[in-house]
Amino acid sequence: MGTTVALTQTFTTPDGTISFDYPGDWSVAALGAQGHPLAVGVGPFPGQSVGVNMANVYAVTSATGADRLFGYVSRGDGTVVSFEGTQEGGTNDQVDMADETQEFLQSDLFRARLLPVPESFTMKPSSRTEVAGSCPTVLPRAVTQPRAQC
């Protein structure tokens, strides 16, 4: 197994309710935009047409199932946070997507370099009814393209 990535930087929203750690070679930017237990979920996502590569999608999601959309977590104040990434897999009509996802889950790339980032994600209930804070967008220079959107 590979060496676990060093999470040397921390992103925290201005209101202090959301934070996560990330490697020094990633860049993070803030966008305008109830503390449930969180988990990291992973699943295959087919390409949008025949012959297009599928993707393995990984995201912070509600561990209680309280939020029905994969990768979206309610803040409890009318806003949701999405914190997810994708890793391109094989051509969707030529690979077994479940097998491809299992291989990704066991890879050093996922376990040592990617998983530590969403595992560090924390979210507290907002103390305000309206959030003037932000949600993070992560743009790594590595192979994957994690992103978050309001």
Side-chain angles (χ1 to χ4, degrees):
M1 183 146 163
T3 304
T4 300
V5 65
L7 305 179
T8 59
Q9 306 292 321
T10 299
F11 175 89
T12 304
T13 56
D15 67 1
T17 62
I18 298 174
S19 69
F20 63 92
D21 300 327
Y22 61 97
D25 62 347
W26 288 22
S27 60
V28 176
L31 305 171
Q34 10 237 321
H36 296 295
L38 302 176
V40 177
V42 179
F45 185 77
Q48 297 303 300
S49 61
V50 174
V52 175
N53 286 13
M54 56 82 68
N56 293 298
V57 179
Y58 54 97
V60 171
T61 194
S62 172
T64 65
D67 296 300
R68 295 182 189 160
L69 291 175
F70 175 76
Y72 288 84
V73 181
S74 171
R75 286 182 56 145
D77 61 1
T79 62
V80 294
V81 173
S82 174
F83 188 79
E84 66 183 14
T86 60
Q87 169 66 36
E88 190 174 277
T91 309
N92 69 338
D93 61 347
Q94 297 177 13
V95 297
D96 181 318
M97 289 191 291
D99 286 348
E100 192 93 356
T101 299
Q102 284 303 313
E103 286 180 35
F104 173 66
L105 279 169
Q106 299 307 315
S107 72
D108 285 344
L109 172 65
F110 180 72
R111 297 178 72 73
R113 176 115 177 108
L114 300 174
L115 184 59
V117 176
E119 282 182 330
S120 75
F121 184 89
T122 61
M123 184 169 63
K124 301 170 190 166
S126 175
S127 61
R128 296 178 273 172
T129 54
E130 254 187 35
V131 177
S134 6
C135 86
T137 299
V138 182
L139 304 169
R141 298 180 193 133
V143 180
T144 60
Q145 299 175 0
R147 67 189 187 282
Q149 56 196 115
C150 295

